Amino acid sequence: MADFVSGFWNMYVMGLVALSLLFCLFVLMSNNKRETGPVELHGHVWDENLAEYNNPLPRWWLYLFWLTLVFAVVYLILYPGFGNFKGILGWASVGQYQAETRKADERYAPIFAKYEGMDVAAVAADTEARAMGQRLFVTYCAQCHGSDARGAKGFPNLTDKAWHWGGEPETIKATITTGRIGVMTPFGPTLGADGVKDAANYVRSLAGLAHDSLRAQRGAELFKQNCVACHGPEAKGTPAMGAPDLTDSAWLYGSSEMTIMETITNGRTNRMPGFGEFLGDAKVHLLAAYVYGLSNQPAQ
């Protein structure tokens, strides 16, 4: 990337802009001459008397082109566009964004401050706060979790009680603030094809799904040897590690035998980015309250 911000590229852009303007000037000057008579452009004649002539542009049309050229020069003097020259007005899109952000903060800061001092559960029960949290969710979270927060393959449903990392208010805030990285170790090389199938059938039996009972019996021992450390002896999961409960009906990637076998064989890696630095504490608090309320049904 360093090559694209070097002095060479700055001079390259400046030269390209200058040549473009000079070329436009040349075209306008060359079309500014009045011919004493019609001049054939190509010498082609159709239908005995139909020919193509190089007549000058109408003066009003030509003036419009001159106006655009003058506008371009004035613009490049006032605003950035000519290499790294910032323009005499010193305008920048970043500066405008920061100014608009400051203006918005001044307007909404008191509202955010009011809710930031409240308990998450109380904020979740507030109609106005819930509406604000929903707008934040649709803007920053719906791309992965869906506008209804019911998730998709690889993205958890936020409306149920199945929480990989825990559904307590402070845990939800921590998840939004710093993000999460969930990793499941691949066991394909360790268990082999038959072992993976046995383990998958045992996992399906834990959730009351259809399974091969003989394979599930063999898989129970494999589970104790390889999976208990993360999912626990009762397969209820370990929120501190992000290890899911395998006995409920919530399946992040799907509950079919083939999907579970794929998960056991290749493992899974999932990442949620952190939004704390971008949103700030007050917005994170509102967003956490909204997410908390999705599965806790705050009073209307």
Side-chain angles (χ1 to χ4, degrees):
M1 290 298 294
D3 294 339
F4 292 95
V5 293
S6 66
F8 166 78
W9 291 107
N10 173 56
M11 298 302 297
Y12 172 81
V13 171
M14 294 176 70
L16 192 62
V17 172
L19 288 174
S20 299
L21 292 175
L22 290 174
F23 176 74
C24 292
L25 180 63
F26 166 76
V27 172
L28 288 175
M29 294 295 293
S30 64
N31 282 275
N32 197 37
K33 299 177 182 178
R34 287 185 174 275
E35 301 291 345
T36 56
V39 178
E40 287 193 32
L41 184 61
H42 297 298
H44 298 155
V45 180
W46 299 271
D47 297 334
E48 297 182 358
N49 60 0
L50 183 61
E52 184 178 2
Y53 291 95
N54 186 20
N55 292 319
L57 292 171
R59 307 305 294 177
W60 66 268
W61 198 348
L62 195 63
Y63 292 150
L64 287 178
F65 283 114
W66 276 106
L67 186 61
T68 58
L69 185 60
V70 172
F71 175 83
V73 173
V74 173
Y75 180 93
L76 291 174
I77 293 173
L78 297 177
Y79 296 98
F82 192 57
N84 61 6
F85 176 63
K86 298 181 179 179
I88 61 177
L89 295 181
W91 180 91
S93 58
V94 173
Q96 182 174 347
Y97 168 77
Q98 292 174 342
E100 292 178 356
T101 300
R102 285 194 298 270
K103 185 177 179 180
D105 287 342
E106 291 174 359
R107 179 178 178 181
Y108 297 111
I111 301 175
F112 287 132
K114 179 182 75 171
Y115 291 119
E116 190 175 10
M118 295 170 56
D119 178 75
V120 166
V123 177
D126 185 282
T127 303
E128 181 186 20
R130 199 160 57 245
M132 294 173 66
Q134 183 180 34
R135 288 192 289 270
L136 288 171
F137 183 90
V138 170
T139 301
Y140 301 107
C141 313
Q143 295 85 345
C144 294
H145 296 282
S147 58
D148 60 357
R150 293 188 179 277
K153 184 177 181 179
F155 302 100
N157 181 354
L158 303 179
T159 65
D160 57 20
K161 294 289 186 178
W163 294 91
H164 287 195
W165 298 89
E168 301 79 14
E170 291 306 315
T171 303
I172 295 175
K173 285 185 66 173
T175 299
I176 297 173
T177 301
T178 61
R180 299 289 186 183
I181 298 178
V183 179
M184 172 172 166
T185 306
F187 286 96
T190 303
L191 300 180
D194 278 344
V196 166
K197 195 173 184 69
D198 291 343
N201 274 271
Y202 176 68
V203 170
R204 283 177 59 82
S205 74
L206 292 171
L209 301 173
H211 59 280
D212 184 317
S213 58
L214 293 178
R215 284 190 174 276
Q217 289 177 18
R218 295 195 296 266
E221 187 60 31
L222 295 174
F223 186 90
K224 292 177 182 178
Q225 296 172 2
N226 300 279
C227 312
V228 167
C230 294
H231 295 282
E234 297 180 355
K236 293 290 186 180
T238 307
M241 302 175 64
D245 184 346
L246 302 179
T247 66
D248 58 20
S249 59
W251 296 88
L252 190 58
Y253 292 94
S255 60
S256 70
E257 182 179 312
M258 289 302 299
T259 301
I260 296 175
M261 287 177 63
E262 179 186 351
T263 300
I264 296 172
T265 301
N266 302 319
R268 299 286 186 183
T269 300
N270 212 348
R271 178 178 180 271
M272 173 181 163
F275 289 89
E277 184 176 350
F278 179 73
L279 293 179
D281 293 339
K283 291 180 181 178
V284 166
H285 191 74
L286 267 174
L287 186 54
Y290 175 74
V291 172
Y292 174 80
L294 288 173
S295 60
N296 288 277
Q297 300 179 356
Q300 298 296 322

